[in-house]
Amino acid sequence: MVNKKAITLFGLVCLTTILLAGCSEYTVKSEGKTTLILAENQPADYPTTIGAKEFARLVEEKTNGRYEIKVYHGGQLGDEKKAVELTQLGAIDFIRANTTPLTEFNDQIGVLAMPFLFEDEDEKWDMLTGEVGNDLLNTFAGTRLVGLAFYDSGERSFYNTKRPIETPEDMKGLKIRVQSSELAIDIVESLGASATPMDYGEVYSSLQNGVIDGAENNFPSYYTSSHYNVSKYYTVNGFQGAPEVLLASQETWDELGEEDQEAFKEAAMESIEVQREAWANLTEVSKEAVTEAGSELIEVEDTSEWREAVQSVYDKYGDEYSEWIERLSNDDK
């Protein structure tokens, strides 16, 4: 696949300047050891950073110390979009990135953002860690990125300031904040609500002032953003569960021997367990905290009505993602 976004000379100069100004300990070879770098925009104790550090530990172990990976967390190497571009250029060796911005470079990965794609989390991870998941990772071929593994990013659900939401009918008339994505807008509007694209940093005040009635996200984000303080009704329906992706620079990957490539891939896949455990723990802590603070959790046991309501989304995007939808989902959509 051809990279959709051409990186201009000006952009290359700017990004390289950021890289060199930010840190001096980049890819280094000395005394039989090669030091590589991994970009992570989340804090040190966040599940994806924990997963990245486990990946680094396993790489060093599997290569008998010949390779060391330094994890730069907290966006030290630039925001996610810039870091992805630097990884394409080979200035950064590895990156953990969210699925949504990656669709700019790989259309096919966008299928993972389709609503109610999986029956449950067990099915989802059986797929993502199996043959289908590996084939999806391989769709990064031609983007100067190499897909290594998927990391957990939880399930997104709706929360609002007005009322408990149990069915799609309850969504009607609500103004729901969404990411600036055509798919995100289509999902919310298929449920009868009004989609309002908005920067994440504006959501709290907009909920507080009534500019919007609700938003959608996973439990940890709902908690750490303090949105639970101004939006008490959280509907647990897990309508979307796009994962994170651990990626390598094609340039870095091509410099590895075949045995080392296998070791890095094994390390990435084995790190998933630690990352998912960290995510599960953070989710549980977040869930308990918002409940104690007075949030009302509306558990949706049967999502069949919700799945029927988003059929128009599958009608619209079905042709684009038909192969992957068929392989990833056991449902007749």
Side-chain angles (χ1 to χ4, degrees), residues 2 188 230 274 285 316:
V2 177
V188 166
V230 288
V274 169
V285 168
K316 179 175 180 178

Side-chain angles (χ1 to χ4, degrees), residues 7-285:
I7 301 173
T8 64
L9 178 59
F10 176 75
L12 171 58
V13 172
C14 290
L15 290 170
T16 304
T17 300
I18 292 171
L19 179 64
L20 295 175
C23 183
S24 60
E25 298 179 350
Y26 285 17
T27 305
V28 175
K29 295 183 179 181
S30 64
E31 298 180 359
K33 173 180 283 190
T34 300
T35 300
L36 305 171
I37 62 170
L38 188 154
E40 169 59 64
N41 69 352
Q42 294 291 351
D45 59 351
Y46 197 76
T48 51
T49 309
I50 292 172
K53 289 179 178 178
E54 176 66 3
F55 167 61
R57 186 191 71 79
L58 288 167
V59 164
E60 188 162 11
E61 177 184 286
K62 289 177 180 292
T63 62
N64 297 315
R66 289 184 295 105
Y67 285 94
E68 173 189 49
I69 298 177
K70 289 184 177 291
V71 178
Y72 289 89
H73 58 79
Q76 296 177 67
L77 305 184
D79 63 34
E80 193 167 75
K81 185 171 182 290
K82 289 176 182 175
V84 169
E85 292 175 341
L86 285 167
T87 306
Q88 288 179 301
L89 294 170
I92 291 175
D93 300 298
F94 300 94
I95 185 171
R96 189 283 313 159
N98 185 267
T99 301
T100 301
L102 288 174
T103 58
E104 182 175 349
F105 311 101
N106 179 357
D107 285 334
Q108 296 178 70
I109 206 71
V111 68
L112 294 173
M114 291 292 282
F116 301 106
L117 183 61
F118 302 98
E119 184 64 30
D120 53 39
E121 284 291 279
D122 288 339
E123 178 190 274
K124 171 182 170 180
W125 286 99
D126 282 347
M127 293 289 185
L128 293 182
T129 57
E131 180 182 350
V132 184
N134 190 61
D135 288 347
L136 258 177
L137 289 170
N138 288 339
T139 62
F140 282 97
T143 67
R144 299 201 56 73
L145 297 168
V146 179
L148 298 180
F150 292 108
Y151 277 175
D152 204 346
S153 188
E155 294 182 293
R156 302 176 79 95
S157 293
F158 294 103
Y159 51 93
N160 81 101
T161 63
K162 299 294 186 181
R163 55 182 179 263
I165 294 174
E166 297 180 356
T167 69
E169 185 70 23
D170 300 325
M171 292 280 290
K172 290 186 176 178
L174 295 179
K175 293 176 290 184
I176 304 294
R177 179 268 175 180
V178 297
Q179 296 171 301
S180 296
S181 154
E182 184 178 356
L183 175 59
I185 292 170
D186 289 339
I187 291 172
V188 166
E189 293 189 344
S190 73
L191 297 170
S194 175
T196 306
M198 179 183 293
D199 288 342
Y200 190 60
E202 299 175 12
V203 176
Y204 186 96
S205 61
S206 296
L207 287 167
Q208 190 174 42
N209 298 326
V211 175
I212 55 174
D213 301 312
E216 48 79 33
N217 221 314
N218 52 51
F219 267 120
S221 295
Y222 177 58
Y223 171 52
T224 57
S225 65
S226 296
H227 290 177
Y228 66 94
N229 285 326
V230 288
S231 186
K232 67 176 289 187
Y233 301 107
Y234 189 99
T235 298
V236 189
N237 67 350
F239 76 94
Q240 190 180 56
E244 310 285 340
V245 190
L246 181 63
L247 299 151
S249 166
Q250 185 71 60
E251 182 173 322
T252 299
W253 193 253
D254 290 344
E255 291 178 354
L256 298 174
E258 188 174 331
E259 287 188 8
D260 285 332
Q261 287 181 351
E262 184 175 339
F264 276 67
K265 178 66 174 180
E266 286 179 357
M269 294 300 292
E270 290 174 17
S271 70
I272 295 173
E273 183 177 356
V274 169
Q275 192 276 331
R276 289 196 64 208
E277 182 179 351
W279 183 266
N281 290 339
L282 178 58
T283 298
E284 191 58 34
V285 168

